[in-house]
Amino acid sequence: MDLTLIIFVVTFVVLMAVGMPVAYAVGLTAVVVTAFADFSLDGLIITIFHSTDNVNLLTIPFFVFAGAIMAEGGMARRLVDFAGLFVGWIRGGLSLVNILASTLFGAISGSSVADTASIGSVLIPEMERKGYPRSFGAVLTASASVQAILVPPSHNSVLFAIVANTAAVTIPAMFLAGIIPTLVLCFTLIIMCMIAARRNNYPKEESVELRRKLKIASDAIWGLITIVIISGGILSGFFTPTESGAIACIWAMFVTFFIYREYKFRDFPKLIHRTIKTVTMVMVLIAFAAAFGSVMTLVGLPQEISAALLSLSDNKYVILLIINIMLLLLGCLMDMAPLILILTPILLPVVVQLGIDPVHFGIIMMMNLGIGLITPPVGSVLFVASAVSGQKIETVVKAMIPFYCVLFLVLIIITYIPMISLWLPGHFR
């Protein structure tokens, strides 16, 4: 192995091992290798600045902001009530409400963390009051929130489309590709909960009178319009993803301040500050990851990994199995966004060489890393579920085991049945 490549790998591993934040470890590795190999430092700096000079990146702050304001403006509770109209009457209906509410809220927030925090704070205490174990409510909320990784407007799908940088992988294509896998995950979780409800005799919810149903539906319709704006506008071609995000922000503020009127305007600057802080971290990571990827290409790491994978097998199904295992393991150790930025340039050429559609691979990666969000030791969604529920992390992890089995099953289905991901994008081309 070339000495420069060894320096690259060792530097990155050491910086991560000593606990340096991923963004800085990625950036510093690029600088160290550039200096060692006498690459162009000017070229590296140009790459850093050029990587954020992309209008499509505006999609991320717009969707983050729209999701944040709807999360804090009372939307989660209204979507929970709305979901209850459809599935509350079934035995174990409150667990099904949790899943369906996560589907709807994920289509607004695009964030599993926001989904878990918002839906969990409403439903976990209510599920416990109705006789469900508190740990069951926590792990169900965390598992259902993986849907937000797949369904539009998933921030991570946007990130994958930008990093992939190919004509076949667009933001609308990724959004379309995530819809049916989301439904597969939703219905699989529903079946699991219906079995658990029958086994444990979980209660049905009380019937709701017609006047109350109409009130719930009229309250929720304003938030559901947000889904139409975000997804419908993009998929119909009426808006670009960036325009859709901007309009969603305006609509979210209108609904929050003038329709629901639960959010205090004096708290608005704090929400803007949190949004800017989140987006800043993402943009710094994107900039440094671009430099990292550039240096990675110069030292030949993608070619080395590609050759290593293809030496194991030339069967695409075996390679997909190996990649799934690798992504699951890495997802336990690193957060989702850094892994998308680092691994996409490495793995995408391999799967394309094997004839795997890059959009399909993007959904496989989303599902893998979504499972990583609810897996220790780094799983951020798992820790949010633990905090919201007040359960120890050990208790939550133990209760997660049956849900891991279901999520792995869905991962296998998505991996080996490409049409689940590709039917909608192909239909709209």
Side-chain angles (χ1 to χ4, degrees):
M1 185 183 289
D2 182 78
L3 180 59
T4 306
L5 182 55
I6 294 173
I7 295 294
F8 179 91
V9 174
V10 170
T11 302
F12 181 65
V13 170
V14 169
L15 291 176
M16 291 295 297
V18 299
M20 180 174 286
V22 175
Y24 300 127
V26 163
L28 188 55
T29 299
V31 172
V32 168
V33 175
T34 297
F36 176 82
D38 201 24
F39 296 146
S40 170
L41 187 58
D42 289 345
L44 188 71
I45 294 171
I46 290 171
T47 299
I48 289 173
F49 282 95
H50 181 69
S51 65
T52 54
D53 185 19
N54 185 338
V55 69
N56 287 325
L57 285 174
L58 286 172
T59 307
I60 296 174
F62 283 145
F63 284 144
V64 169
F65 178 73
I69 194 168
M70 294 299 275
E72 298 190 17
M75 173 48 52
R77 176 174 54 79
R78 288 171 171 84
L79 289 177
V80 166
D81 292 342
F82 182 71
L85 298 180
F86 296 94
V87 293
W89 54 273
I90 302 171
R91 181 165 299 283
L94 204 54
S95 63
L96 309 188
V97 169
N98 192 319
I99 297 166
L100 191 55
S102 288
T103 309
L104 295 172
F105 192 75
I108 293 173
S109 70
S111 165
S112 289
V113 172
D115 198 331
T116 301
S118 301
I119 301 298
S121 61
V122 175
L123 274 178
I124 293 174
E126 182 66 13
M127 289 180 72
E128 183 182 34
R129 193 175 70 82
K130 293 292 180 66
Y132 297 80
R134 196 171 184 87
S135 58
F136 178 81
V139 297
L140 175 59
T141 305
S143 301
S145 73
V146 174
Q147 296 174 97
I149 300 298
L150 301 170
V151 73
S154 165
H155 311 152
N156 293 289
S157 290
V158 172
L159 204 55
F160 177 84
I162 292 170
V163 177
N165 194 29
T166 66
V169 185
T170 62
I171 295 172
M174 287 299 298
F175 281 179
L176 282 165
I179 293 174
I180 296 179
T182 300
L183 296 177
V184 171
L185 176 57
C186 176
F187 287 125
T188 306
L189 288 172
I190 284 174
I191 291 169
M192 177 187 179
C193 287
M194 291 178 69
I195 294 171
R198 183 173 295 276
R199 183 178 299 165
N200 298 298
N201 199 31
Y202 291 146
K204 300 178 182 180
E205 296 303 295
E206 297 177 1
S207 60
V208 180
E209 61 180 13
L210 180 60
R211 181 179 297 180
R212 175 65 179 158
K213 288 180 179 179
L214 294 175
K215 178 66 167 60
I216 289 171
S218 64
D219 278 351
I221 195 69
W222 301 101
L224 297 175
I225 291 174
T226 311
I227 300 176
V228 175
I229 292 172
I230 292 173
S231 300
I234 296 172
L235 303 182
S236 67
F238 196 75
F239 303 134
T240 67
T242 304
E243 291 166 348
S244 178
I247 293 169
C249 287
I250 296 170
W251 178 256
M253 287 190 288
F254 171 74
V255 171
T256 299
F257 291 121
F258 298 103
I259 304 296
Y260 294 155
R261 292 183 289 184
E262 293 182 4
Y263 191 75
K264 305 298 182 184
F265 191 77
R266 65 173 178 268
D267 296 329
F268 191 54
K270 295 179 182 177
L271 185 144
I272 293 176
H273 178 265
R274 288 197 299 274
T275 301
I276 291 173
K277 185 177 178 181
T278 299
V279 172
T280 300
M281 290 188 294
V282 172
M283 292 302 175
V284 168
L285 180 57
I286 289 171
F288 286 158
F292 185 85
S294 175
V295 172
M296 186 167 59
T297 301
L298 290 173
V299 300
L301 184 60
Q303 294 87 340
E304 292 282 345
I305 293 178
S306 176
L309 285 172
L310 294 175
S311 70
L312 296 174
S313 174
D314 59 358
N315 186 309
K316 67 179 181 180
Y317 301 110
V318 174
I319 295 296
L320 281 174
L321 176 61
I322 294 170
I323 289 175
N324 274 338
I325 294 170
M326 181 176 70
L327 289 173
L328 287 170
L329 292 174
L330 290 173
C332 297
L333 303 173
M334 286 179 66
D335 207 0
M336 190 168 189
L339 285 173
I340 292 172
L341 291 165
I342 293 168
L343 294 178
T344 300
I346 296 174
L347 297 177
L348 195 59
V350 178
V351 298
V352 169
Q353 186 176 340
L354 291 170
I356 298 165
D357 190 287
V359 172
H360 176 217
F361 176 69
I363 297 301
I364 293 172
M365 179 176 273
M366 294 304 109
M367 186 66 198
N368 269 293
L369 300 183
I371 295 173
L373 291 177
I374 54 174
T375 308
V378 175
S380 54
V381 171
L382 191 70
F383 285 99
V384 171
S386 174
V388 170
S389 66
Q391 296 285 290
K392 292 182 178 179
I393 193 68
E394 296 87 352
T395 304
V396 175
V397 171
K398 184 177 179 180
M400 272 295 307
I401 292 174
F403 288 88
Y404 286 136
C405 296
V406 170
L407 291 166
F408 291 149
L409 174 62
V410 173
L411 173 61
I412 292 169
I413 292 170
I414 290 172
T415 299
Y416 293 111
I417 307 178
M419 287 307 296
I420 291 175
S421 303
L422 299 179
W423 184 81
L424 275 178
H427 186 71
F428 278 84
R429 281 174 185 165

